[in-house]
Amino acid sequence: MSEFLSPWILPGLCALAVLAAALSVALRRSELRRSAEGLAERADARARGSDRARLQHPVIDLDQCIGCGTCVAACPEEGVLAMIHGQAAVVHGARCVGHGRCADACPVGAIALTLGDLSERDDLPALTEDLEAVGIPGLFIAGELGGYALVRTAISQGTVVAEAAARRTPAHRAPGARGRQGGVAVASGDDIPDLLIVGAGPAGIACALRATELGLRCTVIEREPQIGGAVAQYPRGKMVMTQPVRLPLHGTLPRLEYQKEELVDLWGDVVRGHDLDIRTGTLFERVTTLEEGGLAVETSRGTFRARQVCLALGRRGTPRRLGVPGEDHPKVHYSLLDAQSYRDSHLLVVGGGDSAIEAAVGLAAQPGNRVTLSYRKADFFRLKARNEASIRAAEAEGRVRIAFETTVRSIEGDRVELESARHPGQVETLPNDAVFVFAGGVPPFGPLREVGVSFDPSDRPPEQTPEVDRGTGLLLALCFAAALALGVLGFTVSHADYYGLPAAERAASPLHDTLQAKGRIGLTFGVLGVALFLFNLAYLVRRSAALGKWLPGNLRAWMSTHVFTGLAAFFCVLLHAGLAPRDTVGGHAFWALAVVVVTGTIGRYLYAFVPRATNGKELEIDQLRSRIAALSGEWDRDGRGFGGEVRRVVEQLVEEDRATWGRGFVRRIFGILGSKRRLEAAFAVLRDRGRTEGVPADEIRSLLALARRAHRLMLAAAHFAEVRAVLGSWRYLHRWLALLMVLLTGVHVYTAVRFADIDWSVLLGWPGGPQ
């Protein structure tokens, strides 16, 4: 075999090493370029005001983020997330519509989808966990009116409301039939509906289907002549993102996208198939509570009474009017259902949101149209990336003229007047055949406030977004690996009479033919080790946006499996080598595997240790220091003095760290480990001192948790660049050592199969074995 290896193995490995180095440099430059682009995009988002979402948005726990980028690839809304300094970051938070695919794709559970800062929001109703309005028994709010705009979430919330209503409905009620009298629901005894649903959009339809499935009597009212809610008002052919979701009484909607016509037709088929009682053309006006119990809903077609009411109205409410002369002209529209109906026309679109952009682009695509887009601000913000690209392209091609900082002054039969917002009194007259106004809507908050629905932020349940150390999320995988390690230890102890011998003397042992590397048990361990590592690499396939869909399961489970199979492969190869790896290609592959396991373990520890504030220099040290200053206000709230002692110890430790940390990679690693060790030792002393001084145990725990956060923030501020360098270095070390190990393993397997004297029939149990 040496003759086979000598001509090519050394130059081949050298060539691969040079190629790996070149690829490493190229990938590093690519990552730096992506980080620079991400920083520039985030600065632009902050300047526009699109960095923060009004409703749903992802929250990234950078203590857990491992920089795999799967969340960025999974997000269907371009620009929401980006990779900055090797970790995921929210860039255009306003573009997030709550799909949640980023959270589903994250292998370590580092992303949670939540609402924005609601502490000062007075446009969201206060709701309980069952989506019941605080202080109004029996009144539920589902869908966009409660702050969630996603179809999937609306369906889920409608289902939740129906189930809550069913729990509160007497099971022994009389079965009386529904009745109507002159368009007014009969409201006596048990004949009134158990649930009245206002709105036949995704939330209302799902609520009605689930209520029917649970045996409730329900009625749905809808102001439009057709069902579908806001979705039905989308332009023709618009794609509606849903994600796989279960619709009650129908089953799962498996596709990720539907055209709006497909989705509305599907809902219509389900409604007809289950004979739901839906009254279209019925405008909701107000809801009131009844003295005898239940609620009354006043509409354009009379008053409906019900035990419980679900408002699934959406947030658009009544279209917001411009309040200018001529707005009542028939050519003024507040939605666009079919852009192809307009050709060879002078058209004005008013607004700067996604709906206005989509309408303008759609109208501009029709033959002969001259489209002007009027927007009162100086530039767009909070647009979806594809919509902004589309409108910019349409402007560049001359198909759309964008009139920024303008407002409509008047609308006449064949023209419109636009006034400059920057220079009042400066007016431009445009020929015009139709005006499309997308200025949002007036939400139906007034009738809700009248009945007593609270919009006070203090009445809302607190958001569950605690900043706590959640660990690496790999405890189960490590427990299995520990059990396997104990099994390996037991196996070696039971065969100590062989493994305890020097390598030169093992050939004389009766166990040698079975336990040696090419023996039945030894080779089985080797084959199992290779198989485990190949399965380990399947995690990379599952992580791929293009190939991952072919493998089942979520990425978090695959990440845990990645850790377990890596450790299990190491133990199997160790037994294959007889606990004594030699100076061969196989031995070198073993040591490369050992280093890969160690670097992977260290890397997970580093990401768990380094605080979120170290994600990129763009956060600035001042931000870290301001957070530390904010923490200082929490010390010594009861005046004991123990908190001041804890803070003094933490500050002293940070000063010691500042003096001892070096700039080499190895010294940085030891600096982090030493800092953590000194902190734990200091905590042990502080716990004893606190008990001696009579400080309550819960107060000690609270202060030390606060101290741990302060220590990590101070450490980050003191060693910002060093910590970031550690994060970048370990990942490349782990990645390229893994590649080297795979190459060495491939050479070892090839040479073993080609040249080693292995009796495969003994290993596989074949009668005659292969010839």
Side-chain angles (χ1 to χ4, degrees):
M1 186 170 69
S2 60
E3 294 179 358
F4 167 74
L5 292 175
S6 56
W8 68 272
I9 187 67
L10 184 58
L13 288 178
C14 290
L16 288 173
V18 173
L19 178 61
L23 287 173
S24 179
V25 173
L27 288 173
R28 180 60 176 165
R29 288 185 177 179
S30 176
E31 180 176 342
L32 291 174
R33 185 177 63 255
R34 287 197 303 270
S35 293
E37 291 171 354
L39 291 173
E41 188 68 18
R42 185 149 76 173
D44 180 62
R46 287 172 175 168
R48 295 185 180 199
S50 65
D51 56 319
R52 293 188 177 183
R54 290 280 292 169
L55 297 176
Q56 305 101 313
H57 72 286
V59 174
I60 303 172
D61 184 351
L62 296 179
D63 291 353
Q64 305 300 320
C65 176
I66 61 174
C68 61
T70 53
C71 56
V72 179
C75 180
E77 302 298 333
E78 184 180 350
V80 176
L81 299 171
M83 295 299 294
I84 298 178
H85 292 300
Q87 287 186 288
V90 177
V91 178
H92 290 281
R95 294 178 182 173
C96 178
V97 296
H99 296 293
R101 293 194 199 171
C102 55
D104 295 338
C106 180
V108 293
I111 298 182
L113 201 67
T114 184
L115 288 175
D117 182 9
L118 306 182
S119 59
E120 298 182 1
R121 293 285 300 274
D122 61 355
D123 60 343
L124 294 175
L127 305 177
T128 67
E129 290 184 358
D130 287 336
L131 304 179
E132 185 177 34
V134 172
I136 312 295
L139 180 62
F140 299 90
I141 295 176
E144 191 179 7
L145 186 59
Y148 291 90
L150 199 62
V151 170
R152 179 190 64 171
T153 307
I155 291 174
S156 174
Q157 290 191 343
T159 302
V160 168
V161 169
E163 292 171 350
R167 290 194 298 270
R168 304 173 187 206
T169 300
H172 59 276
R173 70 177 190 276
R178 298 191 199 99
R180 279 174 287 172
Q181 193 170 26
V184 179
V186 176
S188 61
D190 284 338
D191 290 333
I192 67 173
D194 299 311
L195 181 63
L196 177 66
I197 302 165
V198 182
I205 292 172
C207 186
L209 290 171
R210 182 57 175 153
T212 301
E213 189 175 32
L214 294 172
L216 300 183
R217 292 195 300 267
C218 69
T219 296
V220 184
I221 61 174
E222 165 61 44
R223 72 175 183 180
E224 301 295 337
Q226 63 174 337
I227 66 171
V231 174
Q233 304 305 312
Y234 290 164
R236 189 175 71 173
K238 178 179 173 65
M239 300 303 293
V240 181
M241 194 75 67
T242 64
Q243 281 195 293
V245 64
R246 183 186 180 278
L247 192 65
L249 287 178
H250 175 75
T252 300
L253 306 182
R255 288 160 49 190
L256 298 182
E257 287 186 335
Y258 291 82
Q259 284 191 343
K260 78 113 178 195
E261 289 83 3
E262 293 179 303
L263 204 53
V264 172
D265 288 346
L266 185 151
W267 287 334
D269 291 342
V270 174
V271 165
R272 287 187 293 271
H274 296 283
D275 193 27
L276 298 186
D277 181 17
I278 298 183
R279 322 282 179 86
T280 57
T282 305
L283 177 64
F284 166 81
E285 294 176 352
R286 64 195 299 261
V287 59
T288 58
T289 57
L290 300 174
E291 292 183 2
E292 64 271 21
L295 298 161
V297 174
E298 297 179 15
T299 75
S300 59
R301 297 178 60 183
T303 300
F304 293 79
R305 289 193 281 178
R307 289 187 176 85
Q308 299 162 105
V309 172
C310 172
L311 298 180
L313 295 168
R315 292 178 63 82
R316 189 167 187 265
T318 304
R320 181 173 280 112
R321 295 173 61 85
L322 300 177
V324 299
E327 189 171 7
D328 294 329
H329 196 285
K331 72 175 184 178
V332 179
H333 311 280
Y334 297 91
S335 65
L336 174 63
L337 298 182
D338 188 2
Q340 295 181 8
S341 301
Y342 297 87
R343 299 189 177 191
D344 301 311
S345 302
H346 293 278
L347 306 171
L348 175 67
V349 178
V350 181
D354 285 306
S355 297
I357 300 305
E358 291 168 0
V361 172
L363 290 168
Q366 309 312 313
N369 283 343
R370 276 79 67 193
V371 180
T372 299
L373 178 68
S374 170
Y375 187 37
R376 59 189 175 86
K377 295 187 177 180
D379 201 352
F380 300 117
F381 76 112
R382 293 183 178 175
L383 282 184
K384 294 179 180 178
R386 58 177 174 266
N387 283 339
E388 182 162 5
S390 298
I391 193 64
R392 298 294 187 189
E395 180 186 31
E397 295 167 4
R399 294 184 290 112
V400 174
R401 176 201 168 200
I402 303 178
F404 286 116
E405 296 185 287
T406 62
T407 59
V408 177
R409 180 174 178 176
S410 67
I411 301 172
E412 300 181 26
D414 59 353
R415 61 184 181 272
V416 294
E417 291 184 345
L418 296 183
E419 182 175 5
S420 171
R422 178 179 294 182
H423 305 290
Q426 182 176 323
V427 178
E428 178 184 11
T429 301
L430 300 175
N432 178 259
D433 298 303
V435 177
F436 299 88
V437 179
F438 295 91
V442 180
F445 295 156
L448 299 184
R449 288 191 171 98
E450 289 177 8
V451 76
V453 173
S454 173
F455 287 79
D456 187 344
S458 63
D459 289 336
R460 300 188 191 112
E463 292 291 308
Q464 277 84 42
T465 55
E467 288 192 27
V468 297
D469 294 333
R470 297 187 297 180
T472 62
L474 303 175
L475 180 61
L476 185 61
L478 294 177
C479 286
F480 279 119
L484 181 62
L486 291 175
V488 170
L489 178 62
F491 182 83
T492 55
V493 169
S494 64
H495 295 83
D497 49 348
Y498 175 77
Y499 292 116
L501 293 174
E505 300 177 13
R506 290 183 179 180
S509 170
L511 297 173
H512 184 67
D513 290 342
T514 303
L515 297 180
Q516 66 170 320
K518 62 181 181 180
R520 180 166 186 168
I521 293 180
L523 190 56
T524 298
F525 279 123
V527 173
L528 183 59
V530 172
L532 282 169
F533 201 80
L534 288 176
F535 187 77
N536 177 276
L537 297 179
Y539 164 70
L540 303 179
V541 178
R542 178 62 183 86
R543 211 177 71 178
S544 166
L547 303 177
K549 60 185 178 181
W550 301 108
L551 294 177
N554 59 59
L555 266 171
R556 190 178 307 182
W558 276 92
M559 179 63 181
S560 298
T561 304
H562 180 69
V563 173
F564 171 74
T565 52
L567 293 170
F570 172 78
F571 293 133
C572 289
V573 173
L574 183 63
L575 290 174
H576 170 65
L579 307 185
R582 294 179 294 168
D583 188 16
T584 62
V585 174
H588 299 159
F590 167 80
W591 289 117
L593 174 60
V595 176
V596 167
V597 170
V598 171
T599 55
T601 304
I602 290 176
R604 290 299 292 127
Y605 175 82
L606 290 176
Y607 267 118
F609 173 76
V610 176
R612 69 184 67 231
T614 61
N615 182 32
K617 190 175 181 179
E618 75 285 355
L619 293 179
E620 301 298 342
I621 301 300
D622 289 342
Q623 292 189 25
L624 292 177
R625 289 174 179 156
S626 66
R627 291 180 64 187
I628 297 168
L631 290 177
S632 66
E634 300 182 38
W635 303 97
D636 285 340
R637 282 176 289 187
D638 65 350
R640 292 178 183 273
F642 181 67
E645 176 64 17
V646 173
R647 179 170 55 180
R648 186 190 64 78
V649 169
V650 169
E651 291 173 349
Q652 181 178 344
L653 286 173
V654 172
E655 287 301 317
E656 293 175 359
D657 293 333
R658 191 191 302 272
T660 58
W661 268 38
R663 290 192 172 272
F665 173 74
V666 175
R667 295 188 67 181
R668 290 167 181 159
I669 293 290
F670 280 103
I672 289 178
L673 297 175
S675 177
K676 188 70 176 290
R677 186 179 62 254
R678 289 190 296 272
L679 180 68
E680 296 302 331
F683 276 9
V685 174
L686 288 170
R687 287 190 191 94
D688 291 340
R689 182 178 300 177
R691 296 190 196 100
T692 302
E693 296 178 2
V695 180
D698 59 343
E699 185 177 329
I700 293 175
R701 285 193 298 271
S702 176
L703 284 171
L704 293 185
L706 186 63
R708 193 182 304 277
R709 290 176 58 200
H711 176 264
R712 293 168 69 176
L713 287 170
M714 292 177 184
L715 199 65
H719 304 286
F720 203 101
E722 287 85 350
V723 171
R724 251 186 39 217
V726 168
L727 291 177
S729 300
W730 86 264
R731 191 165 65 252
Y732 284 96
L733 185 64
H734 179 69
R735 180 181 301 170
W736 294 111
L737 281 173
L739 175 61
L740 175 62
M741 185 271 300
V742 170
L743 293 173
L744 290 172
T745 301
V747 173
H748 174 63
V749 171
Y750 176 79
T751 54
V753 172
R754 180 76 182 271
F755 299 102
D757 183 18
I758 298 175
D759 189 347
W760 294 97
S761 63
V762 173
L763 172 67
L764 301 174
W766 295 343
Q771 300 300 318

